[in-house]
Amino acid sequence: MVWEALLREGVRVIFGHPGGAILPTYDALAPYEAAGKIHHVLVRHEQCAAHMADGWARATGEVGVCIATSGPGATNLVTGLATAQMDSVPVVAITGQVPTNLLGTDAFQESDVVGVTAPVCKHNYLVTDVNELPLILKEAFYIAREGRPGVVLIDICKDVQNAEGWFRYDFEIDLPGFEPWPQVDMEAVRKAAELINKAERPLVLSGHGVQLAGVGRELLQMVEKAEIPVVTTLLGAGNIPESHPLSLGMGGMHGEAYANRAVQSCDVLIAMGMRFDDRITGRLDAFAKQAKIIHFEVDKAEVGKNVMPDVAVIGDLAETLPALLPLIEERRHQVWLQEIREWKKDTEQTDILNYEVDELIPPFVIRQLWHATHNAKNGPPIIVTDVGQHQMWECQYFTHDHPGQLITSGGLGTMGFALPAAIGAQMAHPDRLVWAVVGDGGFQMTMQELAVIKQEGDLPVKIAIINNGFLGMVRQWQQLFYEKRYVGTPVWSPDFVKLAEAYQIPALAVTKPEQVVPALEQALNTPGPFLIDFRVKEEVNVYPMVAPGAAVDQLIRRPKPAVMQGYSGVQPSW
Amino acid sequence: MKYTLIAWMRDKPGVLSRVAGMMRRRNFNIDSLQVGHSETPGISRMTFVVDGNERMVDQVIKQLRKLVDVTRVENISEQPIVAREMALIRVSTNAENRSEIVQMVNIYRGEIVDVALDSMIVQIVGSEERVASLIDLLDNFGIIEMVRTGPVAMARGQMEHKYRRSTAVWRAQANGRDATAAERFRTGGV
Ligand SMILES: Cc1ncc(C[n+]2csc(CCOP(=O)(O)OP(=O)(O)O)c2C)c(N)n1
Ligand SMILES: [Mg+2]
């Protein structure tokens, strides 16, 4: 029944790890695998099954599916599920459970999976009756997909897996308590348009919701029509092309100073598909004080949770944004944009991009990665990052010109995400270029999944390890806020090149700036996977930075003196 | 300030822990929570009293509505309502004070539901104030044991009749008996 339902939901690939309590379901997969209808990817740790399903879902917009056994299998999933749920990614997880007659007896490999996962799921089910299974499967996919996407887990008792029952799938979903697409209030749209049309210093702050609703193009139309600059959240990267003059890139904790200043001095803030996370707002009571705030959001519970908007436009952005567009007047905001350009000039003077380097520093590596890949065949490259300094540098120095091009764990900030999520994304798009950009710390959390790259027939995933010998982001905090007491942050690593060799994956180590370009070329010209160990300078910090608890325009800027030494006033070749 | 909310939910296993878990996770303060059947089979009705400000209550309501099993939530704090609690109080007695206690209980329109030589059980149903005030009085004689519910509540006056399909229908549908022959086929296990 599980597989019949999955077929009807259009699922082609699932990620999982078998075990006793899920064995009947695995056994029933055999004919579907043999017929090439559903392919199972064996992971090396269940957390990565969830990350792969997550990567798949983010890269396709379809529901990703992962599967695990009871007890330890299911508890191993939790981190991956929480990661997907926090970032509104549609994932369905299927787990085996002990037989119904053993429920609650602390049976072998029993754990209360529904209880454990409830706080990190949109919804979850324990199935104790085979007759309910088809409807539950259909509901699960419906709930995961509709409205603000999320995670749904189905825990199936082993005797239910072995039972026989009638299968049907033509149910009408009847969930009176589930309102995925709230009715759009046109009056609110009109009010929003009125505010926007009157604004002298408008600003769009756009998030993941824009990608989930697939309205990047409409957003661009709107901001071009009324000349409104755009700041994005981490997950909103590429909502409008970052090379567009109206794009100010990412805001928040590691956003550029001019982006954060724009947020703090706009008169109308148009928040779209974002939830005012503390990493974007900084100190809440000092956030965008002078601005009227308009919040476009599909999840009612996000409205007024952190920031109380002046106008709330509740509903699907794919409905509200096209409704808003004709109401927006053509406007020019040259004074406002000129002001931002001045701030930007100030930033450029200290930007590491603007001086020549003789050491291997991460921003340089990322910039070269952009140069080497942004014109890739078969569509824009998908960059999957892990969590830490390298993640922030990727955001700052890679120019995302396409929505959905960056896949990263924003809400939960899960180290170990990059490699498995990149595998999931690559499985979804075998022809596209997929790069995992990952720290030496995070890579060691899930590097066992290199085996999956091989077992799945040399998936062409390219891996860039930004190897700085530290849990860099934490070290940075220790340096800035704990007087450089580096407790627990120096991290020893194996020789990643040899490690890759052990997995029969070609690899290179890079220690000097001039080796970067040839190494990237070699990686791109080698069919199949490739790993580059960038042994970068240690103890480099991510700037600018908003200290936790500070207002977003209270930034620690890039230190001037060191940078200015090499500043020639002209854009260097890189 | 205290707010009274009513939530209706599908009567499914674990729904109470879902609601309680969400409240705990989001750090909402529940003063009291009562669950029972509603007029619709398969739908339970919960009465909450939450302590907080307007913004928190707004979040409580929205987060409750997000739970898939919760079908409806209403804030009746601003409306005229009937809210009642119940308490059972075992109070120690002796020959001298027994009739005095009975008198008091009668004034409060309570009931004596059990009598022993040295104690009796008093039952009281009423507004929070009435229950509290009787308890205060009885405390002078020595309360041995007590159980008190939180309020259950209903809005006064006329109300639009909203009928919701019960989960009984849901289960019947799940059963697949009404499937057409073309869509039915047997699967060996899963
Ligand atoms: C699973 C998990 N554990 C701990 C953290 C806290 N944390 C955030 S960034 C970071 C450092 C990551 O180090 P590394 O992977 O080497 O990346 P770098 O910052 O050096 O680029 C840590 C430990 C986390 N985000 N996730
Ligand atoms: Mg590191």
Side-chain angles (χ1 to χ4, degrees):
Chain A
M1 288 196 184
V2 171
W3 306 120
E4 283 297 330
L6 261 52
L7 274 186
R8 283 162 176 72
E9 297 292 348
V11 176
R12 292 166 286 144
V13 177
I14 55 158
F15 305 91
H17 202 291
I22 194 71
L23 211 52
T25 301
Y26 266 80
D27 186 50
L29 174 62
Y32 298 91
E33 264 213 318
K37 287 179 177 163
I38 297 179
H39 175 63
H40 175 264
V41 176
L42 175 69
V43 299
R44 299 302 186 268
H45 187 293
E46 287 87 349
Q47 178 189 339
C48 299
H51 287 328
M52 286 181 204
D54 181 334
W56 170 287
R58 292 192 209 218
T60 59
E62 297 163 14
V63 180
V65 181
C66 56
I67 181 163
T69 190
S70 68
T75 53
N76 270 351
L77 278 179
V78 174
T79 303
L81 300 182
T83 304
Q85 172 71 9
M86 276 291 257
D87 287 347
S88 310
V89 181
V91 167
V92 166
I94 295 166
T95 50
Q97 181 55 280
V98 300
T100 22
N101 63 330
L102 293 182
L103 277 177
T105 64
D106 299 323
F108 178 63
Q109 293 196 330
E110 178 183 5
S111 65
D112 172 15
V113 176
V114 165
V116 168
T117 60
V120 299
C121 283
K122 198 171 170 186
H123 194 52
N124 60 15
Y125 295 90
L126 172 67
V127 190
T128 54
D129 177 353
V130 68
N131 291 317
E132 288 179 6
L133 188 54
L135 178 60
I136 286 177
L137 284 160
K138 186 155 186 179
E139 279 187 4
F141 276 89
Y142 179 78
I143 293 170
R145 186 190 296 129
E146 299 294 314
R148 180 177 173 186
V151 175
V152 182
L153 177 135
I154 312 170
D155 196 26
I156 313 174
C157 288
K158 191 170 181 185
D159 54 330
V160 173
Q161 299 174 44
N162 279 320
E164 294 206 347
W166 293 105
F167 180 84
R168 55 171 290 197
Y169 212 64
D170 59 341
F171 309 105
E172 264 183 47
I173 300 282
D174 175 30
L175 290 168
F178 182 55
E179 192 196 4
W181 304 115
Q183 184 84 34
V184 176
D185 176 7
M186 275 311 292
E187 194 42 46
V189 178
R190 264 190 293 279
K191 270 198 204 131
E194 212 174 288
L195 268 183
I196 296 169
N197 288 337
K198 275 199 301 215
E200 291 304 325
R201 304 153 74 84
L203 182 77
V204 168
L205 185 52
S206 78
H208 196 196
V210 170
Q211 290 167 30
L212 292 169
V215 290
R217 185 168 305 153
E218 286 81 352
L219 176 60
L220 186 59
Q221 279 173 2
M222 177 189 121
V223 298
E224 280 183 338
K225 188 168 177 190
E227 207 171 52
I228 306 175
V230 180
V231 172
T232 71
T233 65
L234 172 61
L235 293 188
N239 276 347
I240 73 164
E242 284 178 355
S243 53
H244 193 284
L246 286 172
S247 169
L248 307 183
M250 179 177 72
M253 186 172 267
H254 291 295
E256 293 298 344
Y258 53 87
N260 284 333
R261 272 175 117 164
V263 170
Q264 293 295 71
S265 43
C266 63
D267 62 356
V268 173
L269 183 73
I270 309 150
M272 287 200 169
M274 53 84 68
R275 59 188 175 86
F276 296 104
D277 183 89
D278 54 85
R279 295 286 134 134
I280 198 89
T281 62
R283 211 174 95 201
L284 257 186
D285 58 10
F287 176 74
K289 273 268 157 279
Q290 72 307 324
K292 292 253 184 260
I293 294 177
I294 309 171
H295 195 180
F296 286 79
E297 175 58 52
V298 71
D299 180 355
K300 283 183 190 168
E302 289 301 344
V303 177
K305 187 179 80 178
N306 296 334
V307 168
M308 195 52 86
D310 297 279
V311 178
V313 185
I314 293 167
D316 184 5
L317 266 177
E319 238 180 289
T320 52
L321 193 48
L324 178 73
L325 246 173
L327 305 180
I328 297 286
E329 289 163 12
E330 278 197 35
R331 284 284 305 267
R332 296 290 148 240
H333 294 288
Q334 276 308 319
V335 179
W336 169 226
L337 289 176
Q338 186 52 39
E339 199 173 338
I340 296 174
R341 270 196 292 273
E342 290 299 322
W343 297 334
K344 202 166 173 174
K345 254 189 224 155
D346 177 46
T347 290
E348 276 166 2
Q349 290 197 358
T350 58
D351 196 324
I352 335 183
L353 270 189
N354 289 335
Y355 70 104
E356 301 283 350
V357 282
D358 47 11
E359 289 170 304
L360 189 63
I361 55 166
F364 174 77
V365 174
I366 301 290
R367 196 61 192 161
Q368 293 306 329
L369 179 65
W370 175 78
H371 277 301
T373 62
H374 72 285
N375 281 328
K377 317 191 279 285
N378 304 327
I382 297 174
I383 311 293
V384 187
T385 80
D386 216 75
V387 172
Q389 290 185 313
H390 63 280
Q391 179 187 31
M392 292 300 118
W393 281 315
E394 195 282 340
C395 281
Q396 295 178 341
Y397 294 103
F398 198 100
T399 308
H400 309 95
D401 278 342
H402 305 274
Q405 183 176 14
L406 171 64
I407 293 180
T408 189
S409 166
L412 202 65
T414 309
M415 280 171 72
F417 173 79
L419 181 61
I423 292 172
Q426 186 79 75
M427 298 280 307
H429 296 293
D431 300 332
R432 276 178 70 179
L433 179 59
V434 176
W435 273 88
V437 175
V438 49
D440 44 345
F443 186 66
Q444 290 184 72
M445 282 196 171
T446 53
M447 62 187 177
Q448 74 282 355
E449 304 302 318
L450 288 174
V452 175
I453 291 181
K454 289 306 285 188
Q455 189 166 349
E456 291 305 317
D458 274 328
L459 291 175
V461 178
K462 314 288 180 192
I463 302 159
I465 301 178
I466 307 297
N467 185 351
N468 56 8
F470 279 97
L471 303 175
M473 188 55 96
V474 181
R475 186 205 53 72
Q476 174 169 347
W477 284 49
Q478 289 173 330
Q479 179 183 342
L480 296 174
F481 312 121
Y482 296 91
E483 293 159 347
K484 267 196 160 185
R485 286 186 295 275
Y486 293 162
V487 182
T489 45
V491 53
W492 180 91
S493 295
D495 182 334
F496 290 124
V497 175
K498 286 202 177 121
L499 181 86
E501 272 165 20
Y503 281 98
Q504 300 165 29
I505 291 172
L508 262 185
V510 168
T511 53
K512 296 196 181 70
E514 59 271 21
Q515 298 168 332
V516 173
V517 174
L520 289 170
E521 270 168 17
Q522 190 176 339
L524 291 168
N525 293 330
T526 309
F530 202 92
L531 182 148
I532 307 178
D533 178 10
F534 290 102
R535 299 190 185 153
V536 296
K537 185 179 176 202
E538 296 180 356
E539 299 193 49
V540 180
N541 287 346
V542 183
Y543 294 114
M545 177 178 192
V546 180
V552 278
D553 50 356
Q554 305 298 306
L555 291 145
I556 307 173
R557 301 288 297 272
R558 291 191 179 88
K560 253 178 189 163
V563 172
M564 290 305 285
Q565 282 164 13
Y567 181 56
S568 54
V570 287
Q571 191 88 7
S573 48
W574 63 287
Chain B
M1 189 187 143
K2 294 203 171 161
Y3 293 82
T4 308
L5 311 178
I6 304 178
W8 288 258
M9 55 204 67
R10 298 206 291 188
D11 180 15
K12 301 184 70 186
V15 63
L16 186 60
S17 81
R18 257 179 232 284
V19 170
M22 186 280 289
M23 294 286 204
R24 177 195 50 74
R25 184 162 74 87
R26 301 224 173 242
N27 208 11
F28 297 142
N29 263 327
I30 319 180
D31 247 36
S32 85
L33 183 162
Q34 293 295 317
V35 212
H37 297 297
S38 71
E39 70 284 359
T40 315
I43 297 284
S44 304
R45 176 173 171 138
M46 239 183 231
T47 310
F48 296 92
V49 178
V50 293
D51 200 0
N53 54 29
E54 203 175 316
R55 194 138 166 205
M56 184 187 116
V57 171
D58 177 60
Q59 266 294 304
V60 172
I61 294 170
K62 286 172 171 169
Q63 295 294 347
L64 275 172
R65 287 192 176 134
K66 249 174 101 162
L67 296 175
V68 172
D69 286 332
V70 173
T71 56
R72 193 172 132 207
V73 184
E74 265 173 41
N75 181 357
I76 55 169
S77 317
E78 311 271 273
Q79 303 173 22
I81 57 169
V82 187
R84 292 291 177 265
E85 299 187 4
M86 171 184 164
L88 293 174
I89 308 144
R90 189 194 302 277
V91 58
S92 73
T93 57
N94 53 42
E96 288 100 73
N97 64 16
R98 190 170 294 127
S99 62
E100 194 186 346
I101 293 174
V102 171
Q103 244 177 3
M104 281 182 184
V105 171
N106 283 340
I107 295 170
Y108 277 83
R109 275 177 279 139
E111 263 182 67
I112 312 287
V113 289
D114 185 54
V115 181
L117 276 181
D118 60 349
S119 70
M120 54 194 185
I121 302 178
V122 176
Q123 170 196 308
I124 167 96
V125 175
S127 66
E128 190 185 342
E129 297 76 33
R130 191 141 69 95
V131 174
S133 130
L134 178 62
I135 291 171
D136 275 354
L137 278 177
L138 294 180
D139 207 16
N140 296 318
F141 303 94
I143 292 176
I144 302 168
E145 197 185 358
M146 182 183 92
V147 54
R148 180 177 174 183
T149 69
V152 294
M154 229 176 234
R156 289 178 187 273
Q158 267 194 348
M159 193 151 181
E160 198 188 326
H161 189 71
K162 291 180 189 153
Y163 182 70
R164 278 278 181 215
R165 252 199 319 159
S166 76
T167 52
V169 180
W170 183 83
R171 282 181 191 275
Q173 199 190 23
N175 231 329
R177 297 281 143 66
D178 53 336
T180 61
E183 296 142 354
R184 280 171 83 148
F185 59 91
R186 233 174 152 70
T187 61
V190 174

